[in-house]
Amino acid sequence: MALQRRLLQFINITKSCQKLCGVQSYSTQTAAQSDNGEKRKTHFGFETVDEDEKTKKVHRVFETVADKYDTMNDMMSFGVHRIWKDIFMMRFAPTPGTKLLDMAGGTGDITFRYINYLRNQASSNTEKRSSVTVSDINQSMLNVGKLRAEKQGYLKDSPVDVDWLCADAEQLPLPDECYNAYTIAFGIRNCTHIDKVLEEAYRVLQPGGRFMCLEFSQLPNSTMQWLYDQYSFQVIPVMGQLVAGQWKPYQYLVESIRQFPDQEKFKLMIEAAGFRQVTYENLTFGVCAIHSGFKL
Amino acid sequence: MNKLPRVFCSLRINHRLFTPLTTISFSNAQKTLRHYCQGQTNKEMILTPKSTEQDDHQYEEDIKKSILVKALDFVLKTGWSIESLAHGAEAVGYPGVAHGLFPNGGGDLVHYFNITCNEKLVEQMKSWPKEELQESKVPAQLIENAIMTRLLMIEPYKSTWPKAMAIQTLPNNVPNCLATLLSLVDDICYHTGDRSVDFNWYIRRVGLAGIYKASELFYLTDNSQSNSGTRSFVKSRIRDAELIQIALNVNPVAVAPQTLTAAFVTAKNMLGMNTLK
């Protein structure tokens, strides 16, 4: 396990070094210290930090961006993130009776689409109640979500029961096999230990349950990757400063995208956690990818 | 690894219908899955170096097949669609979202149905008496029986079959559909005695595919007693095919008089000077 992780991160570093354009490269290698309690290090964007510090830093990032989160999403992706999430929900195609755990689902985009999808289905099946648990490590993101849910009327006479839970994806305070679907949209790259998140997902899913992840990924074409890098590093932090008054969170955002493993590597990680029939689909030439796996 | 002793004493049978195989391969590394302290069901298996991707694949295919089998029961109510697959998954014991195992949705269900019907047909054809094959002419009766048998397998789903045919023409389902059609036609030709190795091989199969598809369309609107209408349709189409074959094989010089007469009569018809005899 340690060897695999080290290998993955080593490959990531060589890759990210190749792809950097005009941005200083930092040493982002995880030190393989596993003896005598020396602190393990990981990446936070292009910085190297201790692992426990990363959780705190990520927490701070999302606290500062929570109230402008949705506006900034629209600005940075020119609204395309809505289409990505719609496609994600179409691929998921939930049926009545689904119990969804929407991880890192703070402001509720995926949850609301889930509720709409189930509402629009011919409700021939009124005995089976569907439910969704919106979970996020950050309470301020959840608060924004709750506010939106009330304002847009998702909570009253809905065919779906909604629950809110503040929890860490790496250590879910939930019993085994209590959900039959797990989604995590644009959240997994912020987690310190992705493999732990995947293992927790495997644990809480029932057999036959589906794991779906929507996440930024790498473009297969290096010219397009270069264009995308230019846009990410030159435009996005500037937009962040102008619109939300924050530069660093958006710098972290684009850096963390580069640090995340690419489609094939992430697929291998999902398979390593025990999921089967793992597939992925690229959206917008690979800017994001939907990964899906089943616990069989 | 210090986890090994725990692995050995905690191997318990999964309570689900399908016990996972004892070996699962994870990207060539030997590792143990995490042991869950909650302790009721066990998800831990040791990977041995000998396990193959083949076993995994087979395991997944078995599960998919069991869902498809159950899903067929729901087709009359909810059609060839994701809903049937979801109900099928629930009947097997998996949650409805397991329909995601089939990215083509209803298309996968139709494809599975076609494959199983073809297999059933082959089994039956192997046991039919083959005296007709001794003669050197086209075994029309055998072919007719084969086509009728295959069409009658659609009978339980006749009301929803038009939708299934439409699903088969969707671009992502076309490769599968063509492949099953070709294998069906190939099997029928082979088991009715065709051993040709020349261009006839292609002509026969394409011709038979055409006959089969036409009969399928006819069958959908056939309300006659015990499908006699379809049977006579198939008979006439096979006779037409025989005639075409004779016409193609004939020596042009030998039938020159007939060809000339035919051309002459056609010209007279077109000029309006036709004579009825």
Side-chain angles (χ1 to χ4, degrees):
Chain A
M1 189 57 130
L3 175 67
Q4 211 173 4
R5 203 186 306 156
R6 241 208 325 170
L7 211 57
L8 279 173
Q9 289 192 331
F10 181 69
I11 298 170
N12 267 342
I13 287 139
T14 45
K15 226 179 162 202
S16 62
C17 284
Q18 285 163 14
K19 288 192 172 162
L20 287 173
C21 328
V23 180
Q24 248 186 339
S25 86
Y26 299 93
S27 77
T28 47
Q29 198 163 2
T30 299
Q33 326 273 7
S34 45
D35 49 351
N36 303 341
E38 205 178 310
K39 287 226 179 246
R40 293 183 63 105
K41 291 194 176 289
T42 181
H43 53 79
F44 176 78
F46 290 148
E47 288 173 42
T48 311
V49 296
D50 294 334
E51 284 183 347
D52 20 355
E53 219 194 311
K54 172 162 180 174
T55 322
K56 285 198 219 114
K57 288 179 96 108
V58 169
H59 195 98
R60 251 205 310 273
V61 163
F62 281 95
E63 246 177 44
T64 47
V65 303
D67 44 352
K68 281 267 171 43
Y69 188 72
D70 298 310
T71 324
M72 277 308 294
N73 278 346
D74 275 332
M75 294 226 51
M76 293 189 286
S77 66
F78 304 112
V80 180
H81 75 103
R82 294 165 189 254
I83 300 179
W84 289 335
K85 289 169 184 161
D86 287 339
I87 294 179
F88 183 71
M89 195 44 58
M90 271 165 41
R91 295 290 177 263
F92 177 37
T95 56
T98 304
K99 295 188 289 227
L100 173 66
L101 173 61
D102 184 15
M103 200 62 221
T107 53
D109 275 339
I110 300 293
T111 304
F112 300 151
R113 283 171 173 78
Y114 172 75
I115 297 176
N116 278 338
Y117 193 99
L118 285 175
R119 258 202 201 137
N120 291 338
Q121 281 200 334
S123 52
S124 50
N125 228 328
T126 41
E127 325 86 45
K128 277 196 268 197
R129 286 297 288 182
S130 324
S131 72
V132 57
T133 301
V134 189
S135 177
D136 201 294
I137 196 173
N138 205 307
Q139 188 59 44
S140 24
M141 295 286 278
L142 282 176
N143 293 339
V144 173
K146 276 189 204 160
L147 216 59
R148 283 180 70 196
E150 279 165 25
K151 252 197 245 172
Q152 297 176 21
Y154 284 107
L155 296 180
K156 45 181 180 150
D157 3 290
S158 150
V160 177
D161 304 322
V162 184
D163 207 9
W164 308 86
L165 173 69
C166 181
D168 181 359
E170 298 176 17
Q171 289 167 25
L172 290 170
L174 296 165
D176 290 356
E177 300 191 3
C178 44
Y179 291 99
N180 46 34
Y182 181 107
T183 57
I184 180 164
F186 300 124
I188 201 165
R189 71 178 186 285
N190 300 311
C191 301
T192 320
H193 300 110
I194 297 178
D195 45 355
K196 284 219 190 94
V197 174
L198 294 172
E199 282 169 9
E200 278 293 281
Y202 191 86
R203 180 182 70 83
V204 300
L205 277 177
Q206 290 168 353
R210 189 172 194 182
F211 168 83
M212 284 195 78
C213 171
L214 175 62
E215 191 52 77
F216 289 110
S217 202
Q218 323 282 358
L219 276 70
N221 180 330
S222 52
T223 320
M224 299 197 70
Q225 179 71 42
W226 182 86
L227 281 169
Y228 177 47
D229 284 345
Q230 295 310 304
Y231 174 70
S232 302
F233 287 103
Q234 314 299 339
V235 179
I236 287 182
V238 176
M239 248 200 264
Q241 184 62 49
L242 291 174
V243 174
Q246 305 278 350
W247 178 288
K248 284 194 172 282
Y250 298 99
Q251 182 75 23
Y252 162 71
L253 164 69
V254 297
E255 290 175 355
S256 64
I257 293 176
R258 300 301 174 291
Q259 291 289 56
F260 190 69
D262 73 357
Q263 288 90 329
E264 276 297 320
K265 280 197 213 87
F266 189 45
K267 174 179 169 189
L268 290 174
M269 290 169 80
I270 299 178
E271 282 173 352
F275 290 102
R276 293 172 177 275
Q277 195 82 20
V278 180
T279 57
Y280 65 85
E281 184 187 345
N282 279 345
L283 301 177
T284 322
F285 309 113
V287 173
C288 14
I290 299 177
H291 281 80
S292 154
F294 290 86
K295 174 175 176 172
L296 288 177
Chain B
M1 291 211 267
N2 57 356
K3 285 194 182 149
L4 273 173
R6 273 203 292 176
V7 167
F8 283 125
C9 62
S10 68
L11 220 68
R12 278 181 233 141
I13 297 176
N14 197 311
H15 72 282
R16 297 229 65 99
L17 286 173
F18 300 92
T19 316
L21 296 176
T22 52
T23 59
I24 295 177
S25 78
F26 302 106
S27 43
N28 304 327
Q30 184 164 10
K31 62 189 289 256
T32 329
L33 283 180
R34 178 160 290 215
H35 176 67
Y36 300 122
C37 303
Q38 272 81 353
Q40 291 129 345
T41 52
N42 166 62
K43 304 284 183 297
E44 210 165 13
M45 287 138 248
I46 290 195
L47 165 74
T48 71
K50 288 204 199 71
S51 73
T52 56
E53 274 181 38
Q54 274 292 80
D55 295 333
D56 285 343
H57 190 70
Q58 193 54 45
Y59 175 65
E60 289 171 27
E61 289 300 309
D62 288 340
I63 293 189
K64 284 162 83 167
K65 206 179 281 196
S66 59
I67 296 181
L68 287 167
V69 164
K70 282 279 154 57
L72 283 177
D73 297 334
F74 295 93
V75 165
L76 284 174
K77 249 199 314 180
T78 43
W80 303 90
S81 66
I82 294 182
E83 281 160 352
S84 303
L85 287 169
H87 287 133
E90 280 160 5
V92 173
Y94 291 126
V97 286
H99 71 72
L101 285 165
F102 308 103
N104 285 331
D108 282 336
L109 191 53
V110 174
H111 179 59
Y112 171 76
F113 178 69
N114 281 336
I115 288 184
T116 41
C117 286
N118 291 353
E119 285 169 0
K120 270 193 274 185
L121 180 66
V122 170
E123 283 308 308
Q124 290 192 17
M125 281 202 291
K126 282 187 186 156
S127 60
W128 284 346
K130 304 270 176 63
E131 326 84 24
E132 222 183 71
L133 291 179
Q134 264 46 320
E135 307 157 29
S136 62
K137 68 177 188 62
V138 172
Q141 190 56 44
L142 270 180
I143 295 180
E144 183 192 317
N145 289 344
I147 295 185
M148 280 312 292
T149 317
R150 179 63 175 83
L151 283 177
L152 288 174
M153 290 184 197
I154 302 174
E155 171 119 29
Y157 307 105
K158 198 168 165 183
S159 51
T160 53
W161 196 248
K163 181 75 189 288
M165 290 185 78
I167 288 175
Q168 284 178 313
T169 60
L170 290 174
N172 50 337
N173 294 323
V174 162
N176 281 339
C177 163
L178 280 181
T180 42
L181 178 62
L182 177 63
S183 69
L184 166 70
V185 161
D186 190 25
D187 287 330
I188 296 182
C189 283
Y190 183 82
H191 287 282
T192 52
D194 178 33
R195 300 287 181 275
S196 53
V197 290
D198 55 359
F199 214 67
N200 271 329
W201 192 95
Y202 296 96
I203 297 179
R204 290 216 177 101
R205 278 152 183 76
V206 170
L208 190 54
I211 296 176
Y212 175 74
K213 276 293 166 188
S215 317
E216 196 181 356
L217 282 170
F218 185 92
Y219 176 65
L220 289 178
T221 53
D222 180 29
N223 296 318
S224 60
Q225 187 72 282
S226 70
N227 304 308
S228 54
T230 313
R231 192 172 276 275
S232 50
F233 182 87
V234 175
K235 238 200 260 287
S236 344
R237 295 291 79 68
I238 295 178
R239 204 180 52 237
D240 289 345
E242 287 177 28
L243 287 174
I244 293 176
Q245 193 182 20
I246 293 172
L248 285 174
N249 287 340
V250 85
N251 183 355
V253 175
V255 292
Q258 284 160 319
T259 320
L260 276 174
T261 321
F264 195 52
V265 168
T266 312
K268 279 210 309 193
N269 286 339
M270 291 203 296
L271 291 170
M273 301 185 315
N274 44 1
T275 51
L276 287 168
K277 282 202 190 143

